[in-house]
């Protein structure tokens, strides 16, 4: 009986193990189907528009009488499950409950809150004007996003048109021109020079187009990697400040954003050296960042800001002169406000000029390509007709 009992226990344990394995497989299969897109990972970085909405709502809640912890907890409950808003707001709330300041808590999320954000929050904590600082941050983000949107809108049109133009030309070379070539070969006779050039381009595209595509792809990959290096980033950012049409938009946008950022920092009690350092980090242009770094090193020796910026050559004379006037008058923030408004207007005017100039240029280019193809085909047709008539 003992042997039978042991055998029965072994059979029961084997059945239980088999059932457990089946259960594990079923659970694994269910968890696989229940996984969210992206592996079920929670988002941990808020987008710029989310930071803007977060800051605006936080200011409203604090102004309504909530404490900072209560406001952050309310914003965390508003966030969707596994969203960046819920994660960041809850983490900020937990850190504040543990005794950290709001500015220090923001520094634990540098990808969500840049240096300008945490430093302005620190200034608001020191001055007791947290709501005013949050409102100014909202204004800063709205103004910056507005400038970025205008620049992207101005540059997106030519990119789309050129993209469609390239696709149309490649399609003609691959599918349309070979059909005409077959017709011309059957009819015989010598083709005019434009037609031979067009046919040669079509043959080259068919035979070596894949090599050109690979070469272009490799060049784009190399260029993207090169421009992330220190030397490449400085070179590309220098081109942005000098290229015709483009430079007028990019440069004035960078000067306006820099002026507004520094003005916002100085108006909220951030010292000049820290403001220069923050502007260097958020400038988005390596050439301007280098100029700000050199200016910060010289300001520590007691010199003015306008002098080193003027010597760098990265800024227009008008901007450095206005800075010098503000330093002499003791109202640097006011001068920066005027500079920001001036170059924002210049940027909007340059965007209008760029859009007005680019449209006829693109029309002429497309007309030249289409006209060349049409003329080459018509000349060949006329040549064939004249041969048959003779």
């Amino acid at each position: 009986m003992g042997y039978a009992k042991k055998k029965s226990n072994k059979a029961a344990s084997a059945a239980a193990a088999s059932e457990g394995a089946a259960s594990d497989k079923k659970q694994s299969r269910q968890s696989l189907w229940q996984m969210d897109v992206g592996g079920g990972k929670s988002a941990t970085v808020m987008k710029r528009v989310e930071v803007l909405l977060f800051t605006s709502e936080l200011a409203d809640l604090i102004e309504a009488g909530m404490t900072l912890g209560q406001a952050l907890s309310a914003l965390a409950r508003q966030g969707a499950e596994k969203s960046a808003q819920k994660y960041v707001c809850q983490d900020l709330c937990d850190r504040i409950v543990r005794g950290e300041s709001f500015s220090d808590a923001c520094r634990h999320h540098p990808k969500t809150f840049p240096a300008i954000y945490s430093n302005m929050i620190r200034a608001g904590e020191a001055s007791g004007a947290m709501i005013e600082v949050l409102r100014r941050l909202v204004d800063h983000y709205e103004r910056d996003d507005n400038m970025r949107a205008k620049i992207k809108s101005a540059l997106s049109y030519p990119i789309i048109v050129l993209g469609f133009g390239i696709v149309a030309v490649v399609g003609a070379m691959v599918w349309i021109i070979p059909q005409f070539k077959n017709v011309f070969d059957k009819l015989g006779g010598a083709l005019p020079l434009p037609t031979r050039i067009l046919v040669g381009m079509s043959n080259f595209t068919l035979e070596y187009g894949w090599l050109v595509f690979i070469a272009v792809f490799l060049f784009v990959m190399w260029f993207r990697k090169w421009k992330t290096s220190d030397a490449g980033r400085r070179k590309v950012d220098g081109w942005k400040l000098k290229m015709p049409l483009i430079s007028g938009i990019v440069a004035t946008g960078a000067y306006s954003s820099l002026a507004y950022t520094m003005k916002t920092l100085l108006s909220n009690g951030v010292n000049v050296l820290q403001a220069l350092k923050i502007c260097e980090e958020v400038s988005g242009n390596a050439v301007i960042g280098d100029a700000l770094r050199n200016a910060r090193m010289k300001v520590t020796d007691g010199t003015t800001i306008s002098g080193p910026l003027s010597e760098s050559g990265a800024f227009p004379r008008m901007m450095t002169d206005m800075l010098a006037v503000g330093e002499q008058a003791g109202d640097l923030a006011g001068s920066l406000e005027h500079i920001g408004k001036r170059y924002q207007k210049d940027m909007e005017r340059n965007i209008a000029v760029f859009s007005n100039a680019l449209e006829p240029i693109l029309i002429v280019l497309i007309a030249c390509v289409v006209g060349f193809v049409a003329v080459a085909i018509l000349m060949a047709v006329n040549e064939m007709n004249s041969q048959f008539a003779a």
Side-chain angles (χ1 to χ4, degrees), residues 332-343:
L332 186 57
S335 293
L336 289 168
E337 176 77 18
H338 291 303
I339 291 172
K341 290 180 179 179
R342 174 187 175 85
Y343 283 103

Side-chain angles (χ1 to χ4, degrees), residues 165 168-169 198 363-378:
V169 171
L198 187 63
I363 291 175
V364 170
L365 288 175
I366 294 174
C368 289
V369 173
V370 174
F372 174 75
V373 173
V375 168
I377 294 176
L378 290 176

